[in-house]
Amino acid sequence: MARTVFARNIESSIGLPVKSFEVLPSPGLEEIDFQARLKTGSLLAWTAQDREARPLVNGFAGAGPGVEVAFEGFRGGVNRPGGLSALMRQMQFRVPARRPPFEAILDRVAFCLNRVDRAEHLFDENAIRGSGFEPPPVAGAPKIEAEHGLVALRYFTMVQGLTGTFDIWKITVGVDKDYAVTIDREEVGR
């Protein structure tokens, strides 16, 4: 049921016809596939991929009463905030004593937000140095900060360019008291 919920919400939020993609993991593998480790409360991790096996959208969906969905571009509905709100609420992101370990939060948010069309992945200083480049000084360790009523996760990603260099992006995910989520992407270096 959660797979169907995820697929229908991709269709209604992003406009991709359900018949144009498939949702992974395959039936029966939801609890043992590599994405199973991302399960958060009632939310299972899903990937929609096109017929050529290219990932299109990563996100979360649950099944049953009070179904929740989370992916970038999710529109939500009446009394259902969109985007990543359900995921951040399930993780109790705004409550330091209750939220999961930092790495678990980062893994789940990056799963949803890393732009699969660009092969974006988390910033890795060693990968940049191993390619013969110095990482930009602005790229620091990921962190959670509270400011102006928001609790924000800040982290960096990288995308390899055509010349072997890397474009570095700062991702800020802000969560307000009602768990409405804002996402800001800023290119910060090469």
Side-chain angles (χ1 to χ4, degrees):
M1 183 183 283
R3 171 191 324 284
T4 301
V5 167
F6 186 68
R8 287 184 182 156
N9 279 282
I10 287 175
E11 182 176 50
S12 65
S13 293
I14 299 177
L16 295 173
V18 170
K19 293 185 186 282
S20 71
F21 62 88
E22 66 177 322
V23 177
L24 298 175
S26 299
L29 300 178
E30 299 87 353
E31 298 288 338
I32 59 173
D33 189 81
F34 79 97
Q35 289 176 198
R37 68 180 177 77
L38 298 174
K39 182 178 179 182
T40 305
S42 63
L43 298 175
L44 295 168
W46 304 102
T47 296
Q49 70 177 20
D50 67 15
R51 299 297 175 204
E52 284 77 45
R54 290 181 300 236
L56 302 169
V57 178
N58 290 326
F60 292 83
V67 169
E68 294 194 280
V69 177
F71 60 84
E72 188 170 18
F74 171 55
R75 291 189 184 161
V78 177
N79 297 322
R80 279 178 62 196
L84 302 186
S85 294
L87 174 65
M88 301 310 265
R89 190 174 33 260
Q90 284 278 334
M91 291 192 295
Q92 297 186 45
F93 181 74
R94 291 186 54 89
V95 185
R98 292 190 167 165
R99 63 181 164 224
F102 182 81
E103 288 298 321
I105 294 169
L106 184 59
D107 285 349
R108 285 155 178 77
V109 171
F111 173 74
C112 286
L113 297 183
N114 285 355
R115 294 169 288 180
V116 293
D117 63 324
R118 300 178 185 202
E120 182 176 42
H121 55 280
L122 289 173
F123 176 76
D124 183 344
E125 185 175 319
N126 293 327
I128 292 176
R129 284 203 166 97
S131 296
F133 300 99
E134 281 298 311
V138 69
K143 59 186 167 184
I144 296 174
E145 299 177 311
E147 59 183 41
H148 309 295
L150 294 178
V151 177
L153 169 65
R154 286 198 179 85
Y155 67 98
F156 295 86
T157 64
M158 50 197 265
V159 177
Q160 190 156 16
L162 298 175
T163 61
T165 61
F166 291 93
D167 298 332
I168 309 299
W169 292 79
K170 178 173 77 171
I171 313 298
T172 304
V173 180
V175 182
D176 74 9
K177 64 181 177 56
D178 297 321
Y179 278 88
V181 174
T182 57
I183 299 164
D184 182 55
R185 286 184 173 87
E186 177 186 358
E187 188 172 6
V188 295
R190 290 180 186 238

